[in-house]
Amino acid sequence: MGVLKMASRGIWRRKARTFLVILALGLSIAILTAIPAATQAYSSSVETAIENQSSAYQGAISMIATEITVGPPHSSGDFQGMPGFSTTAFMDENIAENIASIPGVDAVVPQFQRFLQLSSVENQEDQPFRRMNFMTIIGIPLNSSLDEKYSVQPSNIVEGRKLNEDDNRSILLGIELENYFSVAVGRSVNIGDYSFLVVGFFDAGNRFVNRYAYVSLDDAQAMFDQPGEVSQIRVFAESVEDVNNIANEIESTYGDSVSVTTQSDLLQRIPGLFQETENTVASQLAQMNNVASQEILIAIVAGGLIVFLTMIYAVRERTKEIGILKALGFTNWNITSQFMLEGGIIGLVGGLVGCLIGSFGAPLLSSVLLPHVSLPTGFSGGFGPLSSQLATQQLTAHVMPDASLILFSLGIAVILGVVGSLYPSWWASRKRPAEALKYE
Amino acid sequence: MSDYVLEAKDVTKVYEAGENRVVALSDVDLQVERGEFVSIMGPSGSGKTTLLTILGCLDKPTSGQVIIDGLDVTTTREAELPRIRAEKVGFIFQNFNLIPTLSALENVELPMERGRVSKGKRRSRTLKLLGSVGLEDKAGRRPNRLSAGEQQRVAIARALANGPAIILADEPTGNLDSRTGREIIQLLRKLSREEGTTIILVTHDRQMASLSNRMLFLRDGKITERG
């Protein structure tokens, strides 16, 4: 018959009350366990998401930023930024070879682009085609390593394949043109006097671009009878630092006979966009942490209060018993320690229950109790050409408290139990035995 | 050292609550010899219980001296009192005052926890005491599964647990029918004789008091030899 036994008997005397107290304390401890686990998980998942996005951006940006577009003079009439839409001006293909020899140039991609009016509309029922009876022929060098590095051909192939190096008289069609020509992969399509083998269809997610048709540079030039002519030269520098030098070199060599465009303004906007995103995410996380710490504080105070009130009640209820124990020679410390042990046991059991609820219910608890965190969609919105590559990432956090957090919560629970019963047990031990005995 | 196991000299107890001043005990003098069975009678409110709590070190007198087994407990440090209560005094109450969550055995064993008696010795003494009050077969029962008389017998065994110098019994038969009450007093007398324990019995029942060696009367906070 030790103090421990007395304490545990004291606890079990009021089973329903003990059950409720342990449940309430358990919920407090569950919050204490789940919320930090959730904030940790969300923070690290946001961090990972930002890292992933920024590395995707860095890759895309370095590709875009190193690109210089060389076109014929006054070719700025491009319709909605679609090269070749209204371009009638062309340049000598040899310029591409000369540019390729400028130091710092990694690759040169000459392109032949020509807008083509489709005089006869074969499919009368397709209303949009009567309004948009055109297509754009794009002639490109067929080089797979170049394509891999700089996406010369559209990447989203929905059927068939891209053009290969020896694909002469072959064509890669935008998906809008599939209906128009009523063709399938492996069949032939006649455009003007030329017949092409359809190797595949792509979907760029844009109705205009989906009316492009890619063929080899030679085929395009032959088709329009413009051998040795190109409408645009895409120049890729080895690094962003080389871009200005290369652009200056081209301009000084060809003067007004070409127009040179770089992405310098885009480069200037990038740090701002990153900063904006980081700020938005940081403020979301700060708000979440703020809510979390308030909830944790409330949980701790509530847990302590629950134990405190329970023990006050238990002490009042057992005032007479305290008197008896004193009459039997129990010291103040004997009595204090018994009630504190009771509080400690309640804390421990409540803590175990709480850790159990907290571990399994962490995802639910955190989704109910914490504000939602997501990466702003505007992050990729600033870059039209990049949006498909950089789809907004969904934040999936695996919320599971780790062992150290569980031990910590358990410790807090026991401390709450002991501290919550500190005053009640002290108060109990201070009762004068003669008065305590009279208490009914 | 005197022969008295218990002495009270000029014990006065005054309760003060705001303007009210109640004199519960007034210059009480009392000498009890070792092994004596003294009963103190008096109407309710005469200060009987107050006297017992002071004699049992549960409360301090406003003035005067209480000497138990040669030790002046009125000048003893507060921290020493629990040990004196545990070793020198055994209490028996009108409403038994057993701990409801503990079995009869555990209740009897409880006071011994404060001493330095080994667990085995504790247990054998407990069983012996329960045997002597005739409850060896009900040792495992909790108070709510014992009759009133049985509960009071457990309380007697508990009071004797540490072999105290004095047993202070406050109306121990008050909640019992007269036959059971008589049995309890006789048991108390028999055991105190065996254990050499002094008994101070507070009662307002003349029949019970008549079983003692000496009857004292408490009236208006003063003790007299005659009623």
Side-chain angles (χ1 to χ4, degrees), chain B residues 42-57:
Chain B
S44 51
S46 58
K48 300 189 302 279
T49 301
T50 304
L51 180 61
L52 271 201
T53 54
I54 287 171
L55 295 179
C57 312

Side-chain angles (χ1 to χ4, degrees), chain A residues 283-304:
Chain A
S283 84
Q284 278 193 46
L285 285 179
Q287 199 201 341
M288 181 184 74
N289 284 326
N290 196 18
V291 171
S293 49
Q294 280 173 22
E295 284 168 354
I296 288 167
L297 191 70
I298 290 169
I300 289 177
V301 170

Side-chain angles (χ1 to χ4, degrees), chain B residues 47-48 64 69 90 93 145 148 150 158 189 194 214-215 223 226:
Chain B
K48 300 189 302 279
D69 233 2
F93 303 94
R145 292 189 57 231
E150 285 167 340
R158 182 179 68 180
R189 202 166 65 163
E194 282 169 19
R214 181 155 65 111
M215 285 208 279
I223 229 159
R226 270 186 301 277

Side-chain angles (χ1 to χ4, degrees), chain A residues 102-125:
Chain A
I102 296 173
V105 171
D106 183 49
V108 173
V109 181
Q111 255 176 241
F112 182 98
Q113 296 169 8
R114 200 154 165 179
F115 176 69
L116 189 66
Q117 195 78 31
L118 297 168
S119 49
S120 60
V121 178
E122 290 167 25
N123 192 344
Q124 293 288 348
E125 271 127 59

